[in-house]
Amino acid sequence: MKKEKPILFTGIRPTGEVHIANLLAAIYPAVKAQDDYEEYLCIVDLHAITTPYNPEDMSQAIKEVAVDYLAAGINPDKVVLFVQSHIPYHTELMWLLNTITSVGELQRMTQYKEFKSRYKDAKAGILNYPVLMAADILLYKAKYVPVGEDQMQHLELARDIAKRFNQTFKKEVFPIPELAKLTEKPLRIKALNNPKNKMSKSLGPKSYIAIADDPDTIRRKISSAVTDTGPSQDTEKMSAGVANLFLLLRLTADEKTYNHMEEHYKNKTLKYVELKAVLAESIIDFLKPIQEKREELLDNIDYVAKVLSEGREKAYHKAGQVIKEVKEVMGLL
Ligand code: ATP
Ligand code: MG
């Protein structure tokens, strides 16, 4: 008998260029796990429209996220790669889950508070974002969710909503989702130009290294990354900016290079220009194969559209079964 695979869900907002933190926190874990998990990888356009955007750019942004997933090594024969708004059940389940979610718990979310202060007149979509995210995950009965540290609070809420649903309607409809144990701990890569914030598409290109950045752009961005005045004489503790560069080095370079730089730092002989030069080359090498594949896919965009259309069929089928079960236990069928 065929053994059932554990189910994994993850999403990326088509809000601009996909960057190295998206790659390391969400895309790579899915690539590594694609043989062993049943995967639903979603381009979450309904989340993207909760912050200001240009409708004319959306269709291209969606295709580019698909290109990035594929270029990073996702095999569309093994996973379901699809666009959130193609499956109307996401918003339907969101409404149903809204009825068991309290306004207070949504108002306590850090991302809501951040977006509210960044975009002033914040819309209800931002408040309800985590309910849609819970719906995204639960609609496929996903148990494992690779996300960055910034989404852990939302994942925690999705767990609460799943438990509450099962209790309220007295049936174990949803598994309780958790962080996919594919990274050692939730990743938080900081913005290069301001390490107080996380690297983000919405903070602009200076905050991130895009998957598509050419070598000179990468060198320039890394060389202007915020550090400090030099390894301190009286403390071992790295400043946030330097720790962030070391984190990127650990994730992209070989162990020997990393250890060498760390040794240097400990001996207080490291010059940050040197660290930055080594890091820039390591990121360039790390991204090179993905960039080559990216170019091929961009020249073959009809293939990418076909992948998304096939993904839509498969996602629709699975989500349709789950929404039916949900409506049954809620007395709606
Ligand atoms: P935006 O600013 O538009 O929200 P973003 O850079 O935050 O874009 P998302 O599409 O919202 O990217 O997130 C996609 C995935 O990447 C999520 O799993 C998120 O947790 C992860 N992620 C985003 N930024 C970081 C980061 N700086 N470090 C680690 N993971 C991150
Ligand atoms: Mg985000």
Side-chain angles (χ1 to χ4, degrees):
M1 218 173 72
K2 211 171 129 200
K3 197 168 165 276
E4 286 200 3
K5 292 178 175 177
I7 301 175
L8 178 150
F9 177 95
T10 194
I12 294 195
R13 301 198 329 148
T15 40
E17 297 178 294
V18 174
H19 53 67
I20 195 162
N22 302 141
L23 179 70
L24 294 165
I27 301 181
Y28 261 168
V31 172
K32 281 190 203 140
Q34 62 186 332
D35 289 328
D36 305 322
Y37 289 69
E38 177 181 329
E39 296 196 343
Y40 294 87
L41 309 185
C42 191
I43 301 166
V44 287
D45 53 349
L46 298 174
H47 285 287
I49 59 172
T50 59
T51 45
Y53 75 104
N54 183 354
E56 284 166 18
D57 298 338
M58 185 52 85
S59 148
Q60 184 62 21
I62 289 173
K63 284 195 198 103
E64 294 226 5
V65 175
V67 163
D68 288 330
Y69 269 121
L70 296 169
I74 284 297
N75 177 347
D77 296 332
K78 292 183 182 161
V79 313
V80 184
L81 177 61
F82 69 105
V83 181
Q84 186 184 30
S85 68
H86 290 179
I87 314 293
Y89 299 134
H90 285 252
T91 42
E92 185 173 5
L93 182 58
M94 178 205 174
W95 182 256
L96 301 175
L97 298 180
N98 255 327
T99 63
I100 57 161
T101 307
S102 70
V103 176
E105 56 192 345
L106 296 178
Q107 284 169 332
R108 281 196 292 277
M109 293 292 115
T110 307
Q111 179 178 288
Y112 167 68
K113 290 188 210 156
E114 267 174 27
F115 279 8
K116 199 166 118 210
S117 62
R118 205 189 297 167
Y119 299 108
K120 300 299 173 239
D121 178 25
K123 303 294 186 281
I126 289 187
L127 182 67
N128 284 297
Y129 188 115
V131 190
L132 180 58
M133 182 166 152
D136 298 337
I137 298 167
L138 301 179
L139 191 53
Y140 300 92
K141 295 200 176 190
K143 173 83 182 152
Y144 298 102
V145 189
V147 283
E149 193 269 343
D150 61 299
Q151 293 303 320
M152 286 304 289
Q153 201 182 30
H154 291 168
L155 181 55
E156 198 55 49
L157 184 64
R159 290 168 60 82
D160 290 344
I161 292 175
K163 284 181 204 158
R164 202 174 302 153
F165 185 96
N166 293 347
Q167 273 161 13
T168 307
F169 300 104
K170 300 184 180 54
K171 192 175 173 210
E172 293 298 303
V173 174
F174 297 125
I176 310 306
E178 59 190 63
L179 180 72
K181 299 273 172 345
L182 302 163
T183 45
E184 52 210 273
K185 60 176 184 177
L187 264 187
R188 184 180 182 85
I189 297 177
K190 311 276 175 54
L192 297 172
N193 58 346
N194 182 356
K196 281 202 191 83
N197 294 322
K198 75 166 194 76
M199 182 178 279
S200 287
K201 291 185 236 103
S202 54
L203 286 182
K206 288 186 181 151
S207 84
Y208 60 70
I209 301 287
I211 294 186
D213 278 344
D214 61 45
D216 280 343
T217 307
I218 295 174
R219 288 186 192 108
R220 188 165 36 79
K221 285 182 178 177
I222 295 292
S223 86
S224 41
V226 170
T227 49
D228 53 51
T229 51
S232 161
Q233 295 306 311
D234 45 37
T235 169
E236 287 291 309
K237 205 168 164 350
M238 288 182 190
S239 64
V242 176
N244 195 43
L245 298 184
F246 267 100
L247 174 61
L248 283 170
L249 188 69
R250 187 162 62 74
L251 295 168
T252 58
D254 58 64
E255 218 179 313
K256 192 163 156 248
T257 309
Y258 178 83
N259 289 343
H260 180 67
M261 287 290 128
E262 198 185 45
E263 233 0 82
H264 241 341
Y265 180 87
K266 282 186 185 146
N267 295 338
K268 307 195 195 307
T269 50
L270 180 64
K271 294 207 168 44
Y272 293 147
V273 280
E274 197 185 332
L275 171 65
K276 286 176 167 180
V278 170
L279 176 60
E281 296 316 308
S282 141
I283 293 178
I284 291 166
D285 290 347
F286 182 76
L287 292 179
K288 193 161 175 267
I290 304 176
Q291 295 184 346
E292 286 168 0
K293 190 85 196 295
R294 235 187 144 259
E295 290 306 314
E296 279 172 33
L297 288 159
L298 286 172
D299 284 342
N300 199 357
I301 210 73
D302 289 351
Y303 164 75
V304 178
K306 187 169 145 272
V307 166
L308 291 178
S309 144
E310 286 170 3
R312 174 198 188 136
E313 294 299 311
K314 291 184 216 156
Y316 197 82
H317 179 74
K318 172 82 178 185
Q321 290 174 333
V322 177
I323 203 87
K324 182 163 174 282
E325 190 183 347
V326 168
K327 287 169 82 172
E328 259 163 17
V329 301
M330 291 182 80
L332 297 170
L333 284 182

